[in-house]
C-alpha cells in the first residue's frame, strides 16, 4: 500500500516546483543568517552596542524561518538542502564583504541583502500559491514580513 502524501494542485510537477523554490530560499536564508552574524561580530563605531544587540534577534528570526522552510520541504517528501557546500553554490545573495568594520558599511551591505531576499520571497509567495501550496505561500508570507521588518530596523540606523 502506498503511503499517502500531500497533494498539490492538478499539475504533477507542482510538488517539485514548490520544493525547488523552498530549497532556493533555504539556501538564501541560511546565507543571510551567516551574513548577519558576520556583521554582528565585526562592527566598529559609536553605535556598536545598539547594532550588535539588534542583530542577534534578527539572526534568531532567520534561524526560525530556516527551520520552518526546511520542514515544509520534508513534509512534501523532498530533501531539505542546507549544507554549507550547497548554500555556497545555491545562494542568490551577493557575497558579503569581509573587509569592512564601520557600522554604516555593515548596515548598508545588510540592507542590500535583506531587500534582495525580501523581493525574491514576495515573488515566491505567488509562485507557490499558483503551484497550489497555500501552506508554503503562508510560510513565505511570514518570512517576508520578518524580512521587511528587519530591513526597516536596519535602514532606520543608516544616516
Amino acid at each position: 500500500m502506498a503511503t499517502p502524501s500531500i497533494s498539490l494542485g492538478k499539475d504533477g510537477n507542482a510538488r517539485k516546483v514548490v520544493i525547488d523554490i523552498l530549497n532556493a530560499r533555504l539556501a538564501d536564508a541560511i546565507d543571510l543568517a551567516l551574513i548577519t552574524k558576520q556583521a554582528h561580530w565585526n562592527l566598529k563605531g559609536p553605535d556598536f552596542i545598539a547594532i550588535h544587540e539588534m542583530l542577534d534577534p534578527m539572526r534568531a528570526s532567520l534561524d526560525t524561518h530556516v527551520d520552518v522552510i526546511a520542514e515544509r520541504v520534508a513534509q512534501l517528501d523532498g530533501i531539505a538542502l542546507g549544507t554549507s557546500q550547497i548554500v555556497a553554490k545555491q545562494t542568490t545573495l551577493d557575497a558579503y564583504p569581509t573587509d569592512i568594520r564601520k557600522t554604516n558599511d555593515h548596515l548598508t551591505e545588510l540592507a542590500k541583502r535583506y531587500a534582495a531576499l525580501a523581493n525574491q520571497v514576495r515573488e515566491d509567495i505567488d509562485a507557490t500559491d499558483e503551484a497550489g501550496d497555500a501552506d508554503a505561500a503562508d510560510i513565505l508570507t511570514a518570512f517576508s514580513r520578518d524580512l521587511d521588518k528587519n530591513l526597516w530596523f536596519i535602514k532606520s540606523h543608516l544616516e
Side-chain angles (χ1 to χ4, degrees):
M1 174 181 220
T3 306
S5 62
I6 296 169
S7 90
L8 294 180
K10 295 177 179 150
D11 179 2
N13 194 38
R15 181 184 318 284
K16 181 182 177 343
V17 167
V18 173
I19 289 169
D20 288 348
I21 289 169
L22 292 175
N23 267 323
R25 295 303 69 79
L26 181 61
D28 289 342
I30 291 168
D31 191 24
L32 189 58
L34 294 169
I35 286 168
T36 301
K37 217 38 161 166
Q38 177 70 23
H40 169 87
W41 293 323
N42 292 291
L43 296 165
K44 299 269 187 226
D47 294 331
F48 164 79
I49 198 64
I51 306 303
H52 184 79
E53 290 180 352
M54 177 183 76
L55 294 178
D56 269 337
M58 289 181 182
R59 167 62 190 260
S61 171
L62 287 164
D63 288 343
T64 298
H65 290 290
V66 161
D67 199 44
V68 171
I69 292 167
E71 287 174 355
R72 184 63 181 162
V73 170
Q75 291 163 11
L76 294 172
D77 217 18
I79 301 290
L81 304 173
T83 67
S84 60
Q85 295 83 5
I86 290 171
V87 170
K89 286 181 190 173
Q90 300 298 325
T91 185
T92 63
L93 301 179
D94 290 340
Y96 194 79
T98 57
D99 61 346
I100 58 176
R101 293 185 184 270
K102 292 181 182 175
T103 53
N104 259 22
D105 293 342
H106 280 289
L107 292 171
T108 298
E109 294 299 327
L110 287 170
K112 290 177 191 175
R113 285 153 187 85
Y114 273 80
L117 185 51
N119 289 330
Q120 182 59 59
V121 168
R122 272 188 282 287
E123 289 180 26
D124 294 336
I125 292 166
D126 293 336
T128 54
D129 194 41
E130 287 172 18
D133 192 347
D135 293 328
D138 185 56
I139 286 165
L140 292 172
T141 299
F143 188 27
S144 173
R145 276 194 303 268
D146 272 357
L147 289 167
D148 286 349
K149 179 186 75 173
N150 290 331
L151 177 59
W152 170 52
F153 287 171
I154 290 166
K155 288 172 60 176
S156 294
H157 284 277
L158 286 169
E159 298 171 345

